Amino acid sequence: MVRPRILIVDDEPQIRRAVKNALDPLVGDVVEAGDARSGVDMAAAGRPDLVVLDLGLPDAAGVQVCREIRKWSTAPILVLSARHSDQEKVTLLDAGADDYITKPFSTPELVARVRAQLRRANIHPESTEAALSFGGLCVDAARRVVTRDGATVHLTPTEWDLLRAFVRHRGRTLTHDQLFRAVWNRSDGDPQQYLRVHVANLRRKIEGDPLRPRLIVTEPGVGYRFDGA
C-alpha cells in the first residue's frame, strides 16, 4: 500500500519540522516548501494527496496559493495560521481551503484533522496509483515495481521518484525547476545538472533505445515530458 503524500507550505523551518514529525506515522512522502512559488510548483509537479498551508508566506499570501492550487487540484487543503478573525477564515474557505487550524496547534488535533480530510476525500492511494503500461514498460506504483518486457527493472530511490513524477504527469511538460523540487525537495543547486545525470540513467533502464528516447522526451531549454501515450 502506498501511503498519502503530503505537501507542507510554511516559511518557518521549525513549523515544517513539527508538522512533518507529527504526520510521519500517518503518511508516506512528506515534501516541504518555504514560500508560495515553491509551494505551487511542488503541488503541480508532485500532486500531493493533501496540502498543509501557512498563510504568512514571504512572497505571496497563502490565500493566493490556495486559489492557484484549487484551479487544478481537488486535494484537501488544511490551513495553519496565527490569524484568528472569522472573516479571514471565511475568505480562506471560500478560496477552496477545507479546514483551518490556528497556531499554536495541538499535534493530536492536527493529526486527527488530516486523517479526517483524507478519509472525506476518499483517498485510496493504492488504487489511484494502479499499474500502468507504456509499451513494454509497466509501472506498478502501489507495489513500487517496474518491469520492462517482463523483466524487473531495478531503480535507485531517486530514479523511482523521478519516474513517478513523470508518470503522474504523463503527456505534460515539467520544467527543470518543477522536477527538481518534486524529486529533491530543494530550490538551490543546478536543476539541469542533477536532471541530466539521473534522466540519462533512467533512460538506460526503461527506454528501448536510450539514444533515441521515446518515453522521456527532452523539451529543449524547458524540461522533460513523459510521452506514454
Side-chain angles (χ1 to χ4, degrees):
M1 173 178 175
V2 177
R3 295 189 297 170
R5 188 178 209 196
I6 306 295
L7 169 63
I8 304 169
V9 186
D10 197 304
D11 64 329
E12 297 182 68
Q14 64 272 29
I15 296 294
R16 296 201 303 269
R17 185 165 54 251
V19 173
K20 181 178 184 301
N21 290 340
L23 298 182
D24 257 348
L26 181 66
V27 303
D29 293 338
V30 177
V31 291
E32 304 174 28
D35 55 50
R37 178 174 174 271
S38 300
V40 172
D41 284 349
M42 292 175 70
R47 298 285 173 169
D49 298 301
L50 182 142
V51 178
V52 178
L53 174 65
D54 177 38
L55 287 188
L57 299 171
D59 55 337
V63 67
Q64 294 179 25
V65 176
C66 186
R67 290 191 177 109
E68 183 62 32
I69 293 175
R70 193 50 83 222
K71 289 178 183 177
W72 35 261
S73 174
T74 59
I77 299 175
L78 176 62
V79 170
L80 285 179
S81 177
R83 304 173 190 174
H84 300 270
S85 81
D86 289 343
Q87 184 54 51
E88 286 172 320
K89 295 178 183 177
V90 170
T91 299
L92 274 164
L93 294 172
D94 286 344
D98 296 277
D99 202 356
Y100 190 106
I101 297 180
T102 54
K103 295 178 181 176
F105 57 87
S106 153
T107 297
E109 180 184 2
L110 170 68
V111 173
R113 286 179 182 270
V114 166
R115 189 186 299 118
Q117 288 299 327
L118 293 172
R119 185 172 61 248
R120 288 169 187 158
N122 197 26
I123 292 173
H124 300 292
E126 68 276 21
S127 62
T128 59
E129 297 199 49
L132 298 171
S133 295
F134 310 97
L137 180 72
C138 180
V139 181
D140 187 338
R143 298 171 55 224
R144 204 182 174 94
V145 171
V146 178
T147 59
R148 176 157 194 87
D149 298 329
T152 300
V153 178
H154 298 285
L155 300 179
T156 67
T158 297
E159 290 164 357
W160 168 256
D161 288 343
L162 190 57
L163 179 60
R164 185 172 63 174
F166 279 133
V167 169
R168 280 184 168 180
H169 306 289
R170 53 194 178 277
R172 174 184 164 192
T173 297
L174 296 174
T175 67
H176 298 119
D177 284 345
Q178 286 174 330
L179 284 166
F180 193 50
R181 292 192 179 96
V183 176
W184 284 274
N185 192 23
R186 294 173 53 177
S187 57
D188 58 325
D190 184 345
Q192 294 190 48
Q193 182 179 4
Y194 277 79
L195 286 165
R196 190 178 300 114
V197 173
H198 290 282
V199 167
N201 291 338
L202 184 57
R203 278 172 168 160
R204 277 196 289 273
K205 295 182 178 180
I206 68 170
E207 296 277 3
D209 182 355
L211 297 178
R212 298 176 180 79
R214 300 181 63 179
L215 291 172
I216 303 176
V217 179
T218 300
E219 295 284 0
V222 179
Y224 299 91
R225 184 185 74 255
F226 189 85
D227 191 0

